[in-house]
């Protein structure tokens, strides 16, 4: 009984960009402003280049009373819940730390997917503070996915030899129980 922390890290997967607009949309959406300039400065083509990616997923599940706390697991990138969504007062929000190589990521974009009881989904963007911490607005009876992504150049500048970019995707899922008044 308590707070179960489930962790899953995938192996690398690869995708090849056949359309420059798709890469531009990805880097804009995930807030990697310098990636397009870096790509061009590295002499890379606009099509036919690959990105490898790996997911670093965590889920918080209440077993019984759900008492307990999240743990830093040491994944390359991860989201650490400072508040327990099942037992803590969330009226001021759910507090999370965004980590990369066990260090806080200041001024990082955080995407929050909120699924309401009726199945509708709302997506909002947030930012971490100077300490890599974000406070996310959450509601009773809703399910959540928190997402933060890192994009970095690989050591490879030859698209024929393999991926030229690598992204690491941190995620955290949890639900906020319905209030006792519901």
């Amino acid at each position: 009984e308590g707070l179960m922390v489930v962790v899953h890290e995938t192996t690398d997967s690869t995708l090849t960009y056949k359309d420059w607009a798709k890469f531009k949309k990805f880097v804009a959406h995930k807030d990697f402003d310098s990636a397009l300039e870096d790509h061009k400065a590295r002499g890379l083509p606009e099509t036919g280049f690959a990105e490898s990616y790996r997911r670093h997923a965590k889920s918080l599940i209440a077993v019984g009373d759900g008492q307990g706390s999240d743990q830093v697991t040491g994944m390359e990138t991860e989201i650490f819940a400072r508040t327990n969504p099942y037992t803590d007062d969330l009226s001021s929000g759910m507090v999370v730390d965004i980590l990369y190589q066990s260090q806080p990521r200041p001024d990082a974009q955080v995407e929050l997917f909120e699924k309401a009881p009726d199945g509708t989904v709302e997506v909002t963007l947030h930012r971490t503070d100077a300490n890599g911490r974000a406070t996310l607005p959450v509601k009773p009876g809703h399910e959540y996915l928190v997402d933060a992504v890192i994009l970095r150049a690989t050591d490879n500048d030859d698209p024929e030899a393999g991926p030229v970019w690598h992204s690491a995707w941190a995620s955290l899922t949890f639900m906020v129980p319905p209030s006792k008044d519901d």
Side-chain angles (χ1 to χ4, degrees):
E1 188 164 302
L3 183 67
M4 181 181 291
V5 179
V6 179
V7 176
H8 178 72
E9 182 175 336
T10 68
T11 57
D12 285 350
S13 295
T14 304
L15 69 93
T16 300
Y17 286 96
K18 298 175 182 148
D19 180 5
W20 181 243
K22 186 173 182 178
F23 184 68
K24 286 172 58 174
K25 183 178 178 182
F26 167 67
V27 298
H29 175 72
K30 294 300 182 185
D31 194 36
F32 301 120
D33 295 332
S34 65
L36 298 178
E37 291 173 16
D38 294 347
H39 190 89
K40 290 180 182 180
R42 291 169 65 199
L44 298 171
E46 291 187 357
T47 60
F49 64 93
E51 169 198 345
S52 61
Y53 62 92
R54 182 176 291 212
R55 297 191 182 275
H56 307 268
K58 187 188 286 185
S59 188
L60 303 179
I61 301 168
V63 177
D65 64 10
Q67 290 288 332
S69 58
D70 190 8
Q71 304 166 35
V72 174
T73 66
M75 288 187 289
E76 177 184 16
T77 183
E78 74 179 285
I79 301 171
F80 171 69
R82 290 215 159 257
T83 43
N84 180 330
Y86 302 101
T87 60
D88 292 349
D89 176 5
L90 300 176
S91 58
S92 296
M94 174 82 174
V95 180
V96 298
D97 289 349
I98 307 301
L99 304 173
Y100 178 63
Q101 298 178 339
S102 299
Q103 298 300 311
R105 283 186 58 204
D107 195 34
Q109 179 175 290
V110 180
E111 198 165 3
L112 179 66
F113 297 79
E114 175 185 72
K115 184 177 180 183
D118 68 3
T120 59
V121 176
E122 181 180 349
V123 181
T124 55
L125 298 177
H126 307 271
R127 295 206 81 76
T128 59
D129 64 15
N131 298 312
R133 187 163 295 160
T135 302
L136 307 172
V138 295
K139 300 174 191 156
H142 291 227
E143 297 176 25
Y144 292 92
L145 164 64
V146 185
D147 177 83
V149 179
I150 294 276
L151 179 68
R152 66 176 186 270
T154 66
D155 293 335
N156 174 37
D157 283 339
D158 177 6
E160 298 293 322
V164 297
W165 292 102
H166 178 79
S167 59
W169 296 65
S171 66
L172 174 70
T173 60
F174 59 92
M175 76 166 296
V176 177
S179 65
K180 295 189 185 351
D181 301 333
D182 291 342

